[in-house]
Amino acid sequence: MIDKKSEHWKAQHWFFRISALGTASRKAQIRIELVLLGLAILETIMSYFDPIHTPVALILMYSLYSHVVFIRYGDKNHAWDTQNTRHVKSSKAVGR
């Protein structure tokens, strides 16, 4: 669980915090990733038989890629660190 009231969370970049609205753990993010993967595979297979599914498949692939980048960003910046043992650079201090 992410403590969204902690200073550790508030130090994360604003786009990451907005993207994580509605979820409280990395485990939930992985579930979303797997659902997107399954839907993307299904739509890709369907687009082989009916080309009208191609735009949906491409949108799902882009969403999946974006979500994977989001999760890796959280891993890199220790956003899932429930103990708040890692220091996170403040997004305010980066611009200086």
Side-chain angles (χ1 to χ4, degrees):
M1 297 293 281
I2 300 171
D3 181 12
K4 293 187 177 181
K5 295 178 181 168
S6 71
E7 291 300 318
H8 180 74
W9 177 254
K10 291 176 184 175
Q12 300 294 336
H13 200 274
W14 65 269
F15 78 85
F16 182 77
R17 291 187 314 225
I18 290 173
S19 298
L21 288 176
T23 59
S25 68
R26 185 178 191 278
K27 191 174 185 179
Q29 296 295 331
I30 296 297
R31 285 187 193 130
I32 293 169
E33 180 181 346
L34 292 174
V35 168
L36 284 171
L37 176 63
L39 290 173
I41 290 171
L42 181 66
E43 282 295 319
T44 302
I45 292 170
M46 289 173 61
S47 70
Y48 177 76
F49 298 106
D50 188 3
I52 199 155
H53 293 280
T54 303
V56 176
L58 292 173
I59 290 170
L60 284 169
M61 288 180 205
Y62 175 74
S63 299
L64 176 62
Y65 176 76
S66 302
H67 197 73
V68 168
V69 168
F70 165 77
I71 292 174
R72 300 312 170 252
Y73 179 86
D75 290 344
K76 178 182 157 199
N77 291 308
H78 308 286
W80 323 112
D81 185 14
T82 57
Q83 305 301 320
N84 298 324
T85 56
R86 303 278 184 163
H87 176 69
V88 177
K89 288 182 182 178
S90 175
S91 59
K92 296 170 188 101
V94 174
R96 291 184 185 171

